[in-house]
Amino acid sequence: MSLHNLGEQLVDYFQAGGSIMLPLLVISLVMWTLAIVKGLRFLSERRRERTPERCLDLFRGEAGVCKAGLAQWQWDILSQYLEQRCDDPELNRDMLDAMRMRQEIKAMRYIGTILLLSAVAPLLGLLGTVTGMITTFDVISELGTGNARALASGISEALVTTQSGLVVAVPGLVLGGFLFQRAQKMKGRMELFCIGLQHQTEVTPN
């Protein structure tokens, strides 16, 4: 199949779905863009994560090298903590908890949006189904059941939008769930990192 024929089939498919296909397309593009960006960010951060001991060693060296060699969330916590920590372990623990919570919020960013868009897509498909059936009944009321071509247009709109909504929703839910699990694991690593960081700075003050 040539690209030209494939393009014509896609155009026909979108035209058959009616006006609901445009918002479904926008939702799909936004959802996939966010999922790809978030997935690449998780992959990059995971590769650059270091132990608290290694982070402190890098921080004692050149700051620019340290920042480039660490995950962004590790650098943010490390630099802020070493700048603001005091001699009170309880206060330091509370400070680290606050910093960690801010990073956890960043880790979860966009995942809720991806899941929300995945939930909206089948609802838009259902709206297209209802619109297509209304069109079909209008044709029946005006022309009866003898005009098969006119009936096919409304039925096609109903089926195509339903199919498109599910095609957008199912991968979105899978991606959203996968990214949510990655974020939860990162939050666990953040907690362990903060515990180790406080332990290392108390045992060996910077």
Side-chain angles (χ1 to χ4, degrees), residues 38-188:
K38 195 67 179 178
L40 292 176
R41 179 66 182 273
F42 278 146
L43 183 61
S44 174
E45 291 283 270
R46 187 68 181 97
R47 288 178 174 176
R48 295 166 62 187
E49 288 178 11
R50 300 291 185 267
T51 63
E53 297 89 341
R54 180 59 178 161
C55 290
L56 288 170
D57 290 340
L58 289 173
F59 191 84
R60 295 187 184 102
E62 188 177 346
V65 175
C66 176
K67 184 175 182 179
L70 299 181
Q72 183 62 47
W73 67 266
Q74 285 186 320
W75 166 257
D76 291 342
I77 293 176
L78 179 66
S79 58
Q80 294 173 24
Y81 175 67
L82 293 181
E83 180 181 351
Q84 301 174 19
R85 72 188 182 93
C86 61
D87 296 329
D88 186 349
E90 293 294 330
L91 185 58
N92 287 337
R93 186 178 297 109
D94 293 340
M95 188 188 310
L96 277 170
D97 287 341
M99 294 174 182
R100 175 174 55 83
M101 290 179 64
R102 286 197 293 269
Q103 295 302 318
E104 287 179 354
I105 293 173
K106 290 182 180 180
M108 294 297 296
R109 186 178 296 170
Y110 303 135
I111 296 178
T113 303
I114 293 171
L115 292 172
L116 178 61
L117 292 176
S118 302
V120 168
L123 296 179
L124 281 175
L126 180 60
L127 177 61
T129 302
V130 174
T131 303
M133 295 309 298
I134 290 175
T135 302
T136 301
F137 290 133
D138 287 342
V139 170
I140 292 175
S141 65
E142 293 180 7
L143 305 176
T145 58
N147 194 331
R149 188 179 184 85
L151 288 174
S153 175
I155 295 174
S156 176
E157 179 180 350
L159 296 178
V160 166
T161 52
T162 302
Q163 181 187 46
S164 300
L166 293 174
V167 167
V168 173
V170 173
L173 290 173
V174 173
L175 285 171
F178 173 75
L179 293 173
F180 181 81
Q181 292 297 324
R182 293 296 297 268
Q184 291 295 107
K185 291 180 180 179
M186 178 179 282
K187 288 163 67 174

